Amino acid sequence: MAGKKGFDRMVDYISKVMLPTATSCWQPFLGLALVVILVGSAVGCPARCECSAQAKSVNCHRKRFLTIPEGIPIETRVLDLSKNKLRSVNPDNFSSYPQLEELDLSGNLIGQVEPGAFNALVNMHSLSLKSNRIYLIPMGVFSGLSNLTLLDISDNKIVILLDYMFQDLRNLKSLEVGDNDLVYISHRAFSGLVSLETLTLERCNLTVVPTEALSHLHALVSLHLRQLSISTLHPYSFKKLFRLRHLEIDSWLSLDVVPPNTLHGLNLTTLSITNTNLSAFPYQPLRHMSYLTHLNLSFSRIEQIEGGMLRELVRLRELRLMGARLATVEPHAFQGMKSLRILNISRNQLETLERISFQDPEVLEMLLIDGNPLVCDCRLTWILRRRRSLRFGNVQPECASPEAIRGQPLKELEEPLLSRYVTCTEPKILEEHVELFLVDEGQPSLLHCSAEGSPRPIISWLTPRRRLITEKTNGRVIVHPNGTLEIKVSEVHDSGVYTCVASNAAGNDTMSVSLAVKSLGISDRSLYANRTHQYYTDPNSTASNGTGSHNVPFGLDLKTILVSTAMGCFTFLGVVLFCFLLLFVWSRGKGKHKNNIDIEYVPRKVAGVPVDPPETSGPRRVNMKMI
Ligand SMILES: *[C@@H]1O[C@H](CO)[C@@H](O)[C@H](O)[C@H]1NC(C)=O
Ligand SMILES: *[C@@H]1O[C@H](CO)[C@@H](O)[C@H](O)[C@H]1NC(C)=O
Ligand SMILES: *[C@@H]1O[C@H](CO)[C@@H](O)[C@H](O)[C@H]1NC(C)=O
Ligand SMILES: *[C@@H]1O[C@H](CO)[C@@H](O)[C@H](O)[C@H]1NC(C)=O
Ligand SMILES: *[C@@H]1O[C@H](CO)[C@@H](O)[C@H](O)[C@H]1NC(C)=O
Ligand SMILES: *[C@@H]1O[C@H](CO)[C@@H](O)[C@H](O)[C@H]1NC(C)=O
Ligand SMILES: *[C@@H]1O[C@H](CO)[C@@H](O)[C@H](O)[C@H]1NC(C)=O
Ligand SMILES: *[C@@H]1O[C@H](CO)[C@@H](O)[C@H](O)[C@H]1NC(C)=O
């Protein structure tokens, strides 16, 4: 403060000695000018930098400094040294600025930070070491930064995060470690980060989720895992993250499945799994997520949302699945989702979206369904009826068919177009006049049924025992996409009346066909097997299991294997015994015979018994030479 005294004296001197004759009105201006000049030099500012005494900040951005410049005032709180040419940070660099709160060292050439580099900077809130050349951060580099809330070490060359490297940062709330060559995060690397709320891991070389390391972050609220080359998620990937509410997985291009227990233990409100190779909606992992309000599964290969699989998502408000391959939203797909307000399924393959898919369509406020090949028929009338209150977003959805109203925005569809085109016609089964179908036992039965109508009717069949067979049914009795019912191997008890049901949004039509299976007296299951070469059906199981949906792949059963093995053994033993018998006979009549005995036998291929090479077939000759 010597400068201040000197300044006072100088002002005194000037006003008393140098300007004795000046008019008094000059004095304040002159004084002010001098104050401005002198305050600047009294606080001090490194050459080429800009300083603000009020904010106690020093800005040396992009000034080509090779080392930390001289003359930084000790009371500086904000120091910007970004985009210079600094190469290292040592413990004595900042020790004389205990008031530092924000330090920006980004965009330098720093390759090394020594332990203790930021010691004693207890007031520091924010530290950026972004875009440098750091390859390793030894333990102790961040010691003393107990008040730090924001740390950015992204865009460096760090390969591994070591145990306890963030140990002292107990107030840290946000950590950026993206754009490094990170291959491994040590199990205790995040130990001590008891306040960390946000963590972003992006563009690293990690190949697995660092489950163990993450499990130390008990206060974590948001976790962002972006642009990683992780292709497999393991069950229980996110352990002990009790406070986690927002999880983002983005751009894991080869991730194709989320296993059932992956999200076990999480209580999320926002989940985003986007830009992946996912082909199935992750129903199982979402089972317990009853607090989920936002779900984003956009840009994947998901093709359908099945009915009744998402009942637990009772609080879900926004569902986004844009830019995927969604072709079917089944009836009751959103069953249970009574809070669904925003649905964004734009740019998919959907032809329709039926009212019956929703739990409560009235709650829906925004429906983004543009970019889909929409068939404007009666199934969309519920949307058209609400087109004044329902928001469609910036891009208007349009009809792709019928031809006459192609390209017509849904919002502008008015009468008479509505009643002329946006309609459905009831299914009508095209009779084939085959009311009785005869087939021999063991042969396949094909019952045809086709129907016309708009939209295209879906065909299902009712068996004589009232079992419903649809295109999704697997087993001995199936329905082909063209509506034909096939019984792969007809059995006598399959006889009866089968009913074809053709249904669409407009109604149903039915037709009955009688099937009579003629008994050939086949009761031996092996004959069934011979006829089909593929399947045999256990008569006991079909008797109690209706039309015999329970098929067992054909193969040798255990009994057959045991019997044939036993037979093989007996044959072999027989041959051996016979040998001994001959030996015995030969030894009795020694001298009467030659020294050679020829034995003829047929080898058997049985496990456990030596088998002859395959090229020799037919009866074998064993030549025993007796000495
Ligand atoms: C954090 O900073 C406050 C002032 O902002 C200070 O009083 C406190 O001592 C610091 N905490 C620690 C642990 O150093
Ligand atoms: C990380 O991945 C990038 C791009 O795939 C590669 O160039 C780099 O060498 C990898 N680094 C390590 C340490 O494996
Ligand atoms: C996505 O899955 C498909 C089909 O399984 C596969 O052919 C393709 O290579 C996968 N893409 C990536 C990026 O892994
Ligand atoms: C889940 O989170 C919600 C708030 O997001 C909270 O109300 C609820 O108690 C949490 N449930 C459990 C089991 O932690
Ligand atoms: C959903 O994911 C897409 C693709 O990553 C993204 O563009 C969009 O912002 C996300 N929406 C929300 C609400 O998170
Ligand atoms: C819906 O998805 C489209 C991308 O297909 C996007 O452009 C639009 O912003 C999204 N709208 C909302 C409200 O999320
Ligand atoms: C169509 O059949 C279902 C049962 O299969 C029945 O519930 C429905 O009422 C029928 N619809 C019409 C229009 O006959
Ligand atoms: C009938 O089928 C069910 C399941 O398809 C099976 O659990 C049951 O054992 C079968 N009954 C008989 C007698 O095989």
Side-chain angles (χ1 to χ4, degrees):
M1 296 294 109
K4 184 91 175 117
K5 257 185 212 149
F7 165 68
D8 286 344
R9 243 184 275 136
M10 206 160 82
V11 172
D12 228 35
Y13 178 74
I14 290 167
S15 55
K16 278 183 188 154
V17 180
M18 290 184 76
L19 302 164
T21 53
T23 44
S24 55
C25 62
W26 278 55
Q27 248 176 325
F29 289 109
L30 190 66
L32 199 67
L34 279 167
V35 166
V36 170
I37 294 162
L38 284 169
V39 163
S41 66
V43 170
C45 189
R48 290 182 275 162
C49 297
E50 288 152 33
C51 304
S52 156
Q54 244 167 354
K56 299 214 166 95
S57 72
V58 176
N59 182 353
C60 307
H61 173 77
R62 210 190 280 274
K63 294 290 185 271
R64 280 180 261 124
F65 285 118
L66 297 172
T67 56
I68 291 161
E70 298 286 323
I72 300 171
I74 50 170
E75 60 270 38
T76 302
R77 289 199 180 145
V78 181
L79 178 55
D80 183 355
L81 288 167
S82 57
K83 299 254 170 105
N84 283 291
K85 295 189 160 40
L86 307 179
R87 288 183 177 273
S88 66
V89 183
N90 310 316
D92 48 348
N93 286 151
F94 301 105
S95 54
S96 37
Y97 314 112
Q99 311 292 322
L100 268 186
E101 288 172 7
E102 269 183 62
L103 177 58
D104 189 350
L105 291 168
S106 62
N108 280 285
L109 307 173
I110 299 169
Q112 207 176 351
V113 188
E114 289 185 17
F118 308 106
N119 237 337
L121 300 181
V122 290
N123 292 309
M124 190 112 96
H125 292 311
S126 156
L127 171 62
S128 175
L129 287 163
K130 187 181 173 171
S131 307
N132 277 287
R133 296 180 178 176
I134 304 169
Y135 50 89
L136 187 73
I137 297 189
M139 228 181 103
V141 162
F142 301 119
S143 66
L145 292 172
S146 49
N147 260 344
L148 199 69
T149 54
L150 202 146
L151 175 63
D152 190 347
I153 52 172
S154 59
D155 193 14
N156 276 288
K157 307 243 173 295
I158 303 170
V159 175
I160 178 170
L161 295 184
L162 299 174
D163 278 347
Y164 306 114
M165 63 181 286
F166 303 113
Q167 183 70 19
D168 282 0
L169 306 179
R170 55 179 169 274
N171 279 312
L172 198 70
K173 297 232 177 331
S174 168
L175 175 63
E176 304 279 340
V177 289
D179 288 292
N180 275 295
D181 286 345
L182 267 187
V183 176
Y184 184 64
I185 299 183
S186 193
H187 286 185
R188 291 181 191 81
F190 296 141
S191 162
L193 293 173
V194 291
S195 306
L196 195 72
E197 289 174 357
T198 308
L199 176 65
T200 305
L201 283 173
E202 54 185 353
R203 292 182 292 275
C204 296
N205 294 23
L206 290 177
T207 51
V208 288
V209 176
T211 303
E212 278 303 320
L214 292 173
S215 70
H216 290 90
L217 302 172
H218 301 309
L220 200 67
V221 176
S222 302
L223 177 59
H224 307 275
L225 303 167
R226 303 189 192 116
Q227 297 186 38
L228 301 177
S229 40
I230 301 178
S231 56
T232 317
L233 267 171
H234 296 289
Y236 311 103
S237 280
F238 305 96
K239 287 193 289 192
K240 300 189 192 161
L241 297 174
F242 307 114
R243 300 256 185 92
L244 197 71
R245 293 293 175 265
H246 313 288
L247 175 62
E248 181 191 0
I249 287 174
D250 180 49
S251 300
W252 297 16
L253 299 180
S254 42
L255 181 75
D256 45 20
V257 61
V258 181
N261 284 321
T262 305
L263 307 175
H264 183 91
L266 293 181
N267 179 12
L268 300 176
T269 57
T270 311
L271 174 63
S272 175
I273 305 180
T274 50
N275 292 295
T276 61
N277 210 14
L278 271 194
S279 55
F281 203 102
Y283 306 110
Q284 293 293 334
L286 296 173
R287 265 283 145 81
H288 60 287
M289 296 272 176
S290 56
Y291 285 92
L292 202 67
T293 57
H294 295 73
L295 177 60
N296 191 350
L297 294 168
S298 303
F299 305 107
S300 58
R301 298 194 302 130
I302 295 174
E303 290 175 8
Q304 69 166 338
I305 307 181
E306 289 172 36
M309 300 293 279
L310 299 167
R311 282 183 302 238
E312 280 82 3
L313 303 184
V314 288
R315 292 181 179 82
L316 197 77
R317 294 169 54 94
E318 303 186 7
L319 173 62
R320 290 187 166 78
L321 212 168
M322 53 217 189
R325 301 194 184 168
L326 202 58
T328 321
V329 176
E330 288 191 352
H332 310 294
F334 306 126
Q335 187 186 0
M337 291 191 190
K338 52 183 197 269
S339 317
L340 191 65
R341 282 173 174 70
I342 299 182
L343 178 63
N344 193 348
I345 43 177
S346 56
R347 288 197 275 141
N348 276 291
Q349 315 286 323
L350 276 182
E351 292 190 349
T352 193
L353 182 64
E354 291 186 70
R355 192 177 196 279
I356 195 171
S357 296
F358 293 83
Q359 169 81 25
D360 189 357
E362 299 307 312
V363 177
L364 200 66
E365 290 165 4
M366 206 168 178
L367 176 63
L368 296 116
I369 197 179
D370 55 280
N372 283 290
L374 295 177
V375 177
C376 291
D377 59 29
C378 70
R379 293 170 294 176
L380 293 187
T381 44
W382 72 276
I383 297 179
L384 296 173
R385 224 172 268 142
R386 286 198 58 200
R387 64 177 180 260
R388 306 249 175 269
S389 57
L390 204 58
R391 283 179 290 146
F392 290 128
N394 300 329
V395 185
Q396 287 302 310
E398 296 172 352
C399 299
S401 97
E403 194 61 46
I405 49 172
R406 170 180 298 203
Q408 185 84 26
L410 293 194
K411 227 179 182 114
E412 290 163 23
L413 265 181
E414 306 278 353
E415 292 292 354
L417 291 183
L418 273 183
S419 44
R420 191 180 310 159
Y421 297 109
V422 189
T423 55
C424 295
T425 52
E426 267 184 58
K428 177 137 180 29
I429 290 177
L430 309 169
E431 297 275 354
E432 300 213 356
H433 299 291
V434 182
E435 271 135 37
L436 179 64
F437 192 83
L438 284 167
V439 69
D440 283 347
E441 184 178 8
Q443 293 298 318
S445 302
L446 292 167
L447 306 182
H448 300 287
C449 179
S450 59
E452 56 181 19
S454 155
R456 196 174 71 88
I458 291 167
I459 300 210
S460 50
W461 285 83
L462 274 173
T463 69
R465 287 161 210 251
R466 314 304 290 169
R467 195 163 83 100
L468 186 70
I469 314 281
T470 67
E471 246 184 75
K472 282 189 180 172
T473 312
N474 300 316
R476 194 171 62 94
V477 187
I478 58 165
V479 176
H480 289 285
N482 65 5
T484 299
L485 180 86
E486 178 180 355
I487 303 176
K488 288 176 186 165
V489 187
S490 309
E491 293 167 19
V492 175
H493 62 81
D494 288 335
S495 303
V497 177
Y498 288 75
T499 310
C500 166
V501 183
S503 56
N504 70 8
N508 310 342
D509 190 14
T510 59
M511 173 189 73
S512 295
V513 182
S514 296
L515 175 70
V517 182
K518 188 172 149 215
S519 172
L520 298 179
I522 305 168
S523 57
D524 183 359
R525 73 180 74 148
S526 63
L527 281 175
Y528 273 104
N530 282 348
R531 276 170 179 274
T532 67
H533 298 285
Q534 207 117 54
Y535 292 98
Y536 82 90
T537 314
D538 188 347
N540 297 329
S541 88
T542 49
S544 60
N545 265 347
T547 347
S549 63
H550 191 69
N551 288 318
V552 184
F554 172 69
L556 290 169
D557 68 2
L558 192 61
K559 214 158 57 184
T560 315
I561 291 173
L562 282 178
V563 167
S564 53
T565 309
M567 301 240 318
C569 287
F570 286 141
T571 322
F572 181 72
L573 279 175
V575 169
V576 172
L577 281 175
F578 182 61
C579 278
F580 277 109
L581 195 70
L582 281 178
L583 269 174
F584 181 71
V585 169
W586 174 76
S587 63
R588 277 298 177 97
K590 204 173 177 179
K592 289 177 196 165
H593 298 272
K594 287 191 274 173
N595 272 7
N596 285 340
I597 298 173
D598 282 346
I599 300 168
E600 210 174 77
Y601 80 105
V602 183
R604 254 194 116 85
K605 242 186 164 179
V606 172
V609 178
V611 172
D612 298 86
E615 65 267 20
T616 57
S617 56
R620 305 277 334 268
R621 218 159 249 283
V622 173
N623 187 267
M624 300 179 88
K625 209 170 194 118
M626 295 308 185
I627 307 147

